[in-house]
Amino acid sequence: MPDNYRSQVVTQGTQRSPNRAMLRAVGFGDGDFTKPIVGIASAYSTITPCNMGINDLALRAEVGCKSAGAMPQIFGTITISDGISMGTEGMKYSLVSREVIADSIETVCNGQSMDGVLAIGGCDKNMPGAMIAMARLNIPAIFVYGGTIKPGHYEGQDLTVVSAFEAVGQYSAGKIDEEKLLGIERRACPGAGSCGGMFTANTMSSAFEVMGMSLPYSSTMSAEDAEKAQSAEESAKVLVQAIQKQILPRQLLTRQAFENAIAVIMAVGGSTNAVLHLLAIAQTIGVELTLDDFEAIRQKVPVLCDLKPSGQYVITNLHEAGGIPQVMKMLLVNGLLHGEALTITGQTLAEVLAEVPDTPPAGQNVIRPWSNPVYREGHLAILKGNLASEGAVAKISGVKNPQITGPARVFESEEDCLDAILAGKIQPGDVVVVRYEGPKGGPGMREMLAPTSAIIGAGLGDSVGLITDGRFSGGTYGLVVGHVAPEAYVGGTIALVEEGDSITIDAKERRLQLNVSEEELARRRANWQAPPPRYRTGTLAKYAKLVSSSSIGAVTDRDLF
């Protein structure tokens, strides 16, 4: 083992060192002070089913560290349940929690001079928060996903948490009765694990497996299955080997790794939030990545997996069909993956995938053959125009016609929008605008799962468009455009839209346009005034002061001085 561990600054020295004395109190013996110290960052909590199984995984990782010759130290970090906070003021803290998680992991690992970090997370912001910290620290690191939830079942159909949100829309539209609404709600989330479709948590866990920061197959394992705990223990052992070899995040999180992640996200039909989070991680690690890179890759990569929210299957089905390695191998053999990219095991991706079949297994429809994809091109389109000069992200999976021109229905908050949808005030052909929900304006860039699910539940998914400077849940689908930048709060054109204005969403031409003359826009801009900040103290006020545009990842530590 190398003799230059960071932790030895703390653990070596004279036998009278008070540092050593305190470490003895937490379990160090005489032979442990020259071992690498591994931080196990645990996002365990009973706030959400996504994270309720993580403590067991942390304990298994602790066993793996010790058996591999390292000294583990478990510490906690936070989580916010997106599903529980959805549609409430609390959702403003969701994206903020990504920064809190990153800051907390960085603080502990640097404060305690740790030699490596194993982070375990479940809900959506756990993954990017941990990865931002790993990028800042640049010490050997590995991510362990808490695992996906198993599907609920009702009347012969698999359920996810999104089923419950859509059922509310169906109930409000008179399509189902209260008994069925409650039947779905009671069965949608049957146990531990993160939301079961290719929503944000599963999208980001998949991306990190592709980027070499997690072990093969680990991103699609069920939280409640024995293999998940075994994988946590094995991840710890691999991390200790990476410490010995000094395999660092900056060697793994390269431009090639980001391109690989984007390709797989397109192939599996992943969440719009992946765009935001990958941009943020790239900013942190110093990799040049822009919205245009997502669009360039989208045009080359087909959607291969028929997964919820717009498809039929859940992540446990994907795991049974070969998981992310099967998808990667199909991209690799078709020239759309950088096989030379390095992984935390020390192997290249091509070496990791050597024994994976070139084609998906027969007798299943989760992963389509290359010759018969779900869509010929990726589903996350980057739109630009006078409504989004910096760009916006459209999710067009499951949309029959990704083009609409219609009258603007303008709302200053998510709550007002949802009330109008549930009251039947939104009609086919309308383009719903939800603004002042951006990174600064919200603040916190809330997800719009409640309004989009209500639109789907009301049967308007193919006939109503929705644009926002906020975000969408990974469970959202339909003709929706988020991350509109510049946002309303900083004077973006979305702030100038008036009720009844004509708006065009054209995903085929990648255009988001307010059909109003430049002269009229100039007049409106001259009269526009920024609203006062919604928060003047506390976490949200600090976030609003620091956060950047969503077009570069909504980061909070860019160009502070």
Side-chain angles (χ1 to χ4, degrees):
M1 288 188 180
D3 58 3
N4 60 341
Y5 293 130
R6 300 198 319 162
S7 61
Q8 289 184 5
V9 175
V10 174
T11 60
Q12 289 186 331
T14 70
Q15 296 298 316
R16 297 182 298 277
S17 168
N19 311 72
R20 291 164 62 103
M22 295 192 74
L23 287 167
R24 288 183 189 279
V26 297
F28 279 65
D30 288 340
D32 296 327
F33 292 105
T34 57
K35 296 177 181 178
I37 294 179
V38 172
I40 298 177
S42 170
Y44 164 71
S45 80
T46 57
I47 287 173
T48 171
C50 309
N51 292 53
M52 61 190 283
I54 285 176
N55 191 52
D56 292 339
L57 301 183
L59 296 175
R60 283 293 292 271
E62 183 181 48
V63 170
C65 281
K66 288 182 177 178
S67 68
M71 288 302 291
Q73 292 187 307
I74 298 175
F75 63 93
T77 187
I78 68 156
T79 196
I80 295 294
S81 173
D82 287 11
I84 296 173
S85 65
M86 196 72 68
T88 74
E89 194 80 356
M91 178 44 102
K92 293 182 178 181
Y93 287 87
S94 169
L95 188 57
V96 177
S97 74
R98 185 188 75 181
E99 310 306 302
V100 177
I101 292 164
D103 291 349
S104 66
I105 294 174
E106 177 195 355
T107 299
V108 174
C109 288
N110 274 340
Q112 301 302 127
S113 302
M114 289 175 174
D115 299 298
V117 60
L118 181 151
I120 314 175
C123 200
D124 294 5
K125 307 312 172 295
N126 297 179
M127 277 72 74
M131 200 59 56
I132 289 170
M134 292 170 179
R136 292 178 188 170
L137 290 163
N138 200 36
I139 59 176
I142 195 166
F143 185 80
V144 174
Y145 183 39
T148 187
I149 196 171
K150 294 182 177 180
H153 302 283
Y154 185 67
E155 294 185 348
Q157 293 199 348
D158 286 345
L159 302 177
T160 69
V161 66
V162 175
S163 306
F165 280 89
E166 291 179 2
V168 172
Q170 292 170 329
Y171 176 75
S172 299
K175 297 189 173 187
I176 62 172
D177 59 20
E178 186 173 4
E179 181 181 358
K180 185 164 185 176
L181 172 66
L182 290 174
I184 292 170
E185 180 260 309
R186 287 167 177 158
R187 295 167 176 83
C189 298
S194 298
C195 301
M198 189 49 76
F199 310 150
T200 303
N202 286 317
T203 299
M204 297 313 298
S205 69
S206 299
F208 294 164
E209 180 179 328
V210 176
M211 299 173 90
M213 297 295 293
S214 297
L215 294 188
Y217 298 98
S218 64
S219 67
T220 54
M221 292 176 178
S222 171
E224 295 182 323
D225 286 348
E227 65 176 347
K228 173 47 67 178
Q230 294 164 2
S231 178
E233 183 174 341
E234 181 61 25
S235 296
K237 295 176 182 177
V238 168
L239 176 60
V240 176
Q241 294 171 0
I243 294 171
Q244 295 167 358
K245 298 174 183 176
Q246 283 299 286
I247 300 174
L248 305 177
R250 291 182 188 272
Q251 296 170 269
L252 308 184
L253 298 175
T254 61
R255 168 75 186 204
Q256 290 182 328
F258 281 94
E259 290 181 353
N260 286 345
I262 295 168
V264 170
I265 287 165
M266 295 296 177
V268 300
S271 167
T272 52
N273 284 310
V275 178
L276 191 77
H277 297 323
L278 289 179
L279 288 170
I281 298 162
Q283 284 279 336
T284 301
I285 204 79
V287 169
E288 297 252 347
L289 191 72
T290 70
L291 285 171
D292 292 337
D293 294 315
F294 287 83
E295 180 59 34
I297 294 172
R298 180 190 78 84
Q299 294 178 27
K300 301 175 186 176
V301 178
V303 178
L304 297 172
C305 299
D306 187 15
L307 297 167
K308 290 180 182 292
S310 61
Q312 299 183 60
Y313 299 101
V314 295
I315 301 306
T316 52
N317 303 131
L318 175 61
H319 190 63
E320 293 165 359
I324 295 303
Q326 180 63 75
V327 178
M328 284 196 286
K329 186 60 173 286
M330 294 170 70
L331 294 173
L332 180 66
V333 298
N334 285 280
L336 292 171
L337 204 72
H338 299 291
E340 64 273 27
L342 191 65
T343 72
I344 189 65
T345 65
Q347 298 173 292
T348 65
L349 266 186
E351 290 170 338
V352 169
L353 301 173
E355 302 301 319
V356 177
D358 291 355
T359 57
Q364 58 81 38
N365 295 311
V366 186
I367 306 175
R368 296 277 191 88
W370 191 263
S371 60
N372 183 32
V374 181
Y375 305 105
R376 295 288 173 186
E377 292 183 338
H379 64 300
L380 300 180
I382 304 304
L383 310 189
K384 292 187 178 181
N386 68 353
L387 254 177
S389 58
E390 293 179 11
V393 184
K395 189 174 187 180
I396 57 177
S397 51
V399 178
K400 293 178 181 177
N401 180 19
Q403 298 167 305
I404 186 173
T405 295
R409 303 298 310 280
V410 182
F411 301 95
E412 309 299 324
S413 71
E414 177 186 359
E415 288 87 350
D416 291 346
C417 173
L418 180 62
D419 289 345
I421 296 167
L422 295 179
K425 296 179 179 179
I426 302 301
Q427 302 301 316
D430 286 345
V431 178
V432 176
V433 178
V434 187
R435 63 190 180 192
Y436 294 102
E437 290 285 6
K440 286 183 176 294
M445 211 178 176
R446 284 195 290 183
E447 294 180 346
M448 303 288 146
L449 180 60
T452 57
S453 295
I455 287 171
I456 295 293
L460 298 170
D462 289 317
S463 59
V464 167
L466 189 150
I467 69 171
T468 180
D469 51 8
R471 297 181 295 131
F472 294 115
S473 162
T476 290
Y477 65 101
L479 189 53
V480 296
V481 184
H483 308 194
V484 171
E487 62 173 292
Y489 189 78
V490 300
T493 304
I494 191 172
L496 310 180
V497 180
E498 294 182 359
E499 185 80 8
D501 282 348
S502 172
I503 290 177
T504 295
I505 302 172
D506 189 339
K508 289 183 178 179
E509 296 296 324
R510 303 186 302 281
R511 186 163 61 97
L512 184 62
Q513 192 76 13
L514 176 61
N515 301 312
V516 172
S517 71
E518 286 301 316
E519 292 77 13
E520 173 62 14
L521 287 180
R523 185 192 67 78
R524 293 181 189 181
R525 188 167 282 111
N527 293 327
W528 177 82
Q529 289 184 331
R534 286 172 169 162
Y535 302 86
R536 293 187 173 273
T537 61
T539 299
L540 293 180
K542 288 190 288 185
Y543 182 83
K545 188 78 171 176
L546 292 172
V547 70
S548 72
S549 169
S550 61
S551 65
I552 58 171
V555 295
T556 57
D557 61 348
R558 182 175 184 263
D559 295 334
L560 293 179
F561 298 101

